[in-house]
Amino acid sequence: MVNADTKVTLCGIELDNPIIPASGTFGYGYEFAELYDINCLGSLSFKGTTREARFGNPTPRIAECERGMLNSVGLQNPGVEKVISDELPKLKKCFSKPIMANVSGFSIAEYTETCAMLDSDEQIGWFEVNISCPNVHGGGMSFGTSPEMAAEVTRAVKKVTTKPVLIKLSPNVTDIASIAKACEEAGADGISLINTLMGMRIDLRRKKPILANKMGGFSGPAILPVALRMVYQVYEAVNIPIVGMGGVSNAEDVIEMMLAGATAVQVGAANLVNPYASRDIINDLPRVMEKYRINSLTEIIGGAH
Amino acid sequence: MKQALYTIGENTRIAKDVYKMRLLGDSSACSQPGQFLNIQLPEKYLRRPISVCDWDAEGITIIYKILGNGTEMMSGFAASEQLDVLTGLGNGYDMSKSGDRPLLIGGGVGVPPLYGLCRRLVEQGKQPTVILGFNTADEIFYADEFRALGVEVRIATVDGSVGIKGFVTDAMAGLDYTYFYTCGPLPMFKAIEKTVTTSGQYSLEERMGCGFGACMGCSIKTRSGNKRVCKEGPVFEREDIIW
Ligand SMILES: Cc1cc2nc3c(=O)[nH]c(=O)nc-3n(C[C@H](O)[C@H](O)[C@H](O)COP(=O)(O)OP(=O)(O)OC[C@H]3O[C@@H](n4cnc5c(N)ncnc54)[C@H](O)[C@@H]3O)c2cc1C
Ligand SMILES: Cc1cc2nc3c(=O)[nH]c(=O)nc-3n(C[C@H](O)[C@H](O)[C@H](O)COP(=O)(O)O)c2cc1C
Ligand code: FES
């Protein structure tokens, strides 16, 4: 076997491999640590954390799709204070690498307060700011749907943090490249994409939407082509690193995502159907690298351009 | 929780649209009756959660009803085919609270987990009474299996074709019991809640993303905070549930 070098560097922090479980599909890590040593991961992005505790949306919150699923969890989390006092200590007992802190908010102030509180935690390596949430002061429109609002969140968060800030983009927009560019100009250290695509399923028996929230976010293998297209477009538009995700289920998908332009790759829904998915992908990377004659993953980033 | 491959030992129809499947393989993650497993099906993205009916050293028994495409596919599986299954999911019933004469109430495909519970309560020297509710005679299953455990079994059918005509609550009249355990549809739970005179445990159902606590897809509000049906549940104490 060739000497498979899986190391990558994301915003100055070296990862043993590019695999990062995606926010919302890995809890705060410790559930998975019962199954395998999660220190094999490149990093992990924890559940979207907000200033206040949130229960989220009413159930049903999950609907199955062809090669994917809808979720309308609605950012259930115990709030940043409890995350710092209860969840992070449990995560740190089983994980010793830099953590990606996924943060959400419904106003600029919520984003900045949450990020400021997490900034002093030594093990947090990056912020991943999810801007798919509706802005309560902006008529409920998602922060991620306009370059101006996306830039405003980026600037505000950058002011209160000392760590690299990745902005996680929503794919539910017409021009993803312009939003990524606006974030870069506002000081973002990286771009993370894609979040889920808005979708719906209808229950044939009740003749009503399956989800209590009616709409939900579509993820899973079915969205991989959309994610690859968007990562490719953003790679052409910006000079900061990209964390690519959307439908990644195996080591081949990881290589594809990196060729499109991703420096690191997140695995989301796949963890829910196979709790060992992230570990299995990491273990399989050297085999797939050899098959496609890849010596170093860093060398293939953006290789498809 | 454990993930493993299981060989189907048996997959037979036991009532209208209801099948009993025997999964041969590692049952070591099963610790309490009332837990469930999550089955991967070919071409289906999400796993299917099904209660453990009973388990022993050789494997696990489940009973399922054809509802949609997934359970219909399951009914066509032949013995010796293999399935990828997550086992040991959820909390299960807490048997320590049963008292000497617990009442077990099952409705439709809510009956299966009560069988494993009943068998263990009997082994502990308890004297359970079992009430099984179905719509019609052709839906009835497992009444004889419960009777073989030596317990009193009362059956209620909505159309009166077998046993007491009406609902499980109609079969509860005059019964003296120390605690109750139940699994079944929500309307049945609401009727039980109005009828029972003791404390007890309900097994709830939700649509699930993962089944092992990772996605927050199955959360409910309880009197003691937010709980995941797949992790802190599916069994909840009567006093904890907000109806
Ligand atoms: C903890 C638990 C224990 C269960 N135990 C049993 C059992 O012992 N026997 C039995 O027959 N059934 C049981 N069920 C219900 C069983 O999970 C569903 O009937 C089954 O998932 C339907 O799959 P399908 O593909 O046939 O239906 P479809 O409607 O095609 O399924 C589509 C999606 O919806 C989900 N879904 C549909 N109905 C339900 C439901 N009622 N609950 C949860 N998810 C659902 C499916 O899992 C799948 O993801 C249990 C459910 C839960 C949550
Ligand atoms: C159940 C579930 C919950 C999620 N919660 C969050 C979240 O809290 N914050 C966030 O930024 N993304 C969240 N996501 C989106 C994922 O992180 C990821 O961007 C998306 O699912 C696409 O990747 P996938 O196809 O590999 O799942 C969630 C996804 C799922 C399936
Ligand atoms: S189904 Fe995923 S947390 Fe319960």
Side-chain angles (χ1 to χ4, degrees), chain B residues 165-194:
Chain B
K165 181 173 162 56
F167 300 99
V168 288
T169 42
D170 297 309
M172 283 168 66
L175 269 177
D176 181 30
Y177 51 94
T178 49
Y179 197 74
F180 73 91
Y181 297 96
T182 180
C183 184
L186 195 59
M188 181 185 97
F189 286 171
K190 292 194 168 157
I192 289 173
E193 187 59 20
K194 285 197 199 114

Side-chain angles (χ1 to χ4, degrees), chain A residues 147-196:
Chain A
E148 294 75 26
M149 280 204 287
E152 198 186 339
V153 180
T154 309
R155 267 193 301 272
V157 170
K158 276 299 286 179
K159 258 187 217 141
V160 298
T161 53
T162 58
K163 309 190 191 251
V165 173
L166 302 157
I167 305 294
K168 181 165 175 181
L169 305 186
S170 162
N172 305 305
V173 297
T174 38
D175 184 4
I176 192 92
S178 68
I179 292 169
K181 225 173 157 43
C183 295
E184 181 183 34
E185 281 160 11
D189 301 287
I191 301 290
S192 178
L193 79 163
I194 60 176
N195 211 314
T196 53

Side-chain angles (χ1 to χ4, degrees), chain A residues 4 17 23 28 54-55 71 74 77 89 103 107 123 131 139 154 172 187 191 210 214 218 225 227 269 279 287 297-298:
Chain A
N17 62 67
S23 177
Y28 292 89
R54 286 175 57 82
F55 172 70
N71 90 83
N77 79 94
V103 169
S107 68
Q123 210 179 319
I131 56 168
T154 309
N172 305 305
I191 301 290
I210 290 178
K214 300 187 178 72
F218 185 28
R279 184 203 64 177
R287 181 191 67 81
L297 286 184
T298 300

Side-chain angles (χ1 to χ4, degrees), chain B residues 207-218 228-231:
Chain B
R207 297 230 175 194
M208 293 183 173
C210 63
F212 54 88
C215 73
M216 300 289 156
C218 63
R228 293 161 295 185
V229 169
C230 74
K231 189 82 182 179

